[in-house]
Structure formats: C-alpha cells, structure tokens
Amino acid sequence: MLRSSLVVFALLVSLAAASASASQRAYVSAISGDDANIATGCVVTAPCRWFTGAISAVDPGGELVVLDSGAYGTVTITKSISIISAPGVYAGISVFSGDGITIATPGIHVVLRGLNINRIGGSGNGINMTAGNSLVVQNCVITNFSVGSGLLVSSDSLVRVLDSLLRGNNFGARFWAGKSVLVSGSRLLENAMHGISFEASGSPIGAVISRSEASGNGSVGFYAQASIGWQVRLNVKDSVATRNGSGVFVHSGAGTILASVSNSLMSENTNYGLGAQSEGAKLVASGNKVTHNGTGLAQTYDSVLQSTGDNTVSDNTTAFTGTITTINKM
C-alpha cells in the first residue's frame, strides 16, 4: 500500500513538473532573458534568452513571443508553434552557418511573424522547410542568403508568404514542392537568380501571387518549371515585375505548366516581359501592361501563349516573338 502511494505521489510530482515546464505561451528577451528560466516556463516576468531554449517551454500549438529588440539565434522547430514579434520590435536571427530556421517535422503548423533573418556567413537558407503541414511567413525580412534561398520549401505543404521582403539572396523564394502556395503583398528584390521559383520535381505545385513585386532579380521575377510527370499551376495577378532578366517566364522540363498573368505590370525587363518555352508550358495573359522590355510577349519551342486581347504591349524593343493566340476573355 505504501509503495503504491509513493508511486502515485511520484507520478503527480512528475506531471506537475511537466505542467510547469511547458505552457501555452513563452517569452524571450535580449535585455533580461536567461535560459535558466526554462525551468519556470519562460514567463513574461522571467523570460528566456534564445529561441532554441525557449521553444522547449511551449506546448505544441503555443506561442513564443519576443519582448524587446535583439538577436535571438537560429532555431530548429519540431512542434506546431507561432513565433511572434510585435511591430517596432526587431527580432533578429543572424546566421553564421547553416539555416536560420529549420522546419523538418511532419504534420506541424508553423507561424513566423515579424522576424528579421540575415545571413552573416555559411551557405544555408533563411528558412528551410523539408516537412510540415503548413507555414505562414508574415511581416518578415529575409536577406543576404547569397548561396542559398531566403525561403526553401521541399515539402508538400500549405505555405503563405504575406507582406514580407526577400532581398539579396541567391533565390528569393524557391519551391520544389507545395500543394498550396500564396504570396501576397510581398517584395522579391535584387536576388541573384529568380525572385520566386516554382520547380515541381517531386509533387505538383499550386501557387497564387497577388499584389507582389519582383524587381532587380538577375534571372526571372516569377518563374515556373515542371519536371516530367509533374505540374505547376501558377496564377499571378495585380503584381509588378520590373528590371529583372525576364518578368514572368514558364518553362516545361517535360512536365506541365498552366500559368495565368492578369492585371499586372511587366516593365524594364532585359529579355521577356512574359514568356513561355517548351511543349507542356501554357501561359494566358489578360489585362496586363507590358512595356519597355527586350521582348514584350515571347512564345518559343512549342509552348502556348494566349492573350485575351486586352493587354497593352508597347514600347518594347520587340513586341512579339513566336505565335500569340488570341482567345475570348471569360
């Protein structure tokens, strides 16, 4: 009887300790934080110092809140969590090697809000997602990943990039997979290769880009490619692509591309404003202004480029190449 009572007591103590060490919300502070406070749950009056320590104090589905400006270190996320920094608070992740944020656990849901992720050294990525159910990147700045990508996704996930800046990376954002991708209100600036690249090679990709800007990227502002047996569905609307190698360019690598571009501006791009290449690639243009590019609309190598007849194509070095098919606007 005594032994049973001791076992029950030990179990209750263990559960109480577990309850104390994990909670719905934990806090980090660059001013007063100390990771010794993990033991008491990183509460607001006794916050932790680094993301990687504080995350252990949060229950799955909980929040990690940044209290004041500072650097909070790289982190690997293994549970559903929201990492949140309020407007006016600089929540920095300085990356000296590897990736800034790693997401590699199946089934989890991650929200990143108000973070500044900056490469100092190494050859990694700002955010690298190889597994997980969903990711929201909101009001974040991801810069200087000149060897890797600001955001790299290779999992069949739901991804939202909202009101964020990806600048000075090799690729601004690169998707090798992604069952549902939305990029809205975001800027993809001065990346060495593509502003954003959808390259279906292991699963189909469905993507919408809205109210976003791709500017000053070395190759293509908005790019799509599909390997054999795979498909990319891309819808670009109400967006701007300027001063890139090409504005929007879709290329079938023996897969299928179904793309549409509507109510957008393609301007000052060195090569194409809108371009499609290779059999299996189809691009429909509607209501766009295409001006001051090397070539306004370009159809090459058995691709399909269709126009609804209401695009303004003017003042390009060459207005059209290939066959542009006019279709009725639905």
Side-chain angles (χ1 to χ4, degrees), residues 102-124:
T102 301
I103 304 167
T105 301
I108 65 173
H109 301 268
V110 176
V111 175
L112 306 172
R113 184 175 300 135
L115 306 182
N116 285 261
I117 308 170
N118 181 47
R119 172 186 172 269
I120 304 299
S123 57

Side-chain angles (χ1 to χ4, degrees), residues 51-65:
F51 284 152
T52 193
I55 198 170
S56 64
V58 183
D59 285 326
E63 298 177 341
L64 182 53
V65 180

Side-chain angles (χ1 to χ4, degrees), residues 55-268:
I55 198 170
S56 64
V58 183
D59 285 326
E63 298 177 341
L64 182 53
V65 180
V66 179
L67 292 176
D68 44 59
S69 295
Y72 290 94
T74 61
V75 62
T76 296
I77 297 174
T78 59
K79 67 179 79 173
S80 294
I81 194 169
S82 298
I83 301 179
I84 300 170
S85 176
V89 173
Y90 176 87
I93 297 177
S94 298
V95 182
F96 294 89
S97 64
D99 300 321
I101 296 177
T102 301
I103 304 167
T105 301
I108 65 173
H109 301 268
V110 176
V111 175
L112 306 172
R113 184 175 300 135
L115 306 182
N116 285 261
I117 308 170
N118 181 47
R119 172 186 172 269
I120 304 299
S123 57
N125 307 283
I127 301 169
N128 186 1
M129 184 178 193
T130 59
N133 192 69
S134 69
L135 169 66
V136 176
V137 179
Q138 185 173 16
N139 292 321
C140 290
V141 177
I142 309 174
T143 56
N144 298 324
F145 290 87
S146 57
V147 181
S149 301
L151 169 64
L152 177 62
V153 176
S154 55
S155 58
D156 193 23
S157 306
L158 187 153
V159 180
R160 303 289 182 259
V161 181
L162 310 174
D163 303 312
S164 293
L165 169 64
L166 296 91
R167 184 187 65 211
N169 308 291
N170 190 29
F171 289 79
R174 193 175 193 183
F175 291 84
W176 291 334
K179 62 185 176 184
S180 177
V181 179
L182 171 66
V183 179
S184 179
S186 295
R187 293 177 294 161
L188 306 138
L189 308 181
E190 299 164 5
N191 300 287
M193 289 294 292
H194 307 317
I196 189 165
S197 180
F198 301 99
E199 305 165 50
S201 58
S203 66
I205 298 174
V208 174
I209 298 173
S210 175
R211 300 185 301 103
S212 294
E213 175 190 355
S215 178
N217 299 288
S219 188
V220 180
F222 305 120
Y223 176 78
Q225 176 182 325
S227 298
I228 187 168
W230 301 108
Q231 182 185 82
V232 175
R233 302 177 308 280
L234 173 63
N235 182 353
V236 179
K237 58 182 181 179
D238 303 316
S239 294
V240 175
T242 181
R243 297 189 300 105
N244 307 287
S246 292
V248 176
F249 188 71
V250 298
H251 171 232
S252 170
T256 303
I257 307 288
L258 300 174
S260 66
V261 182
S262 60
N263 303 318
S264 295
L265 172 65
M266 306 291 131
S267 177
E268 305 287 347

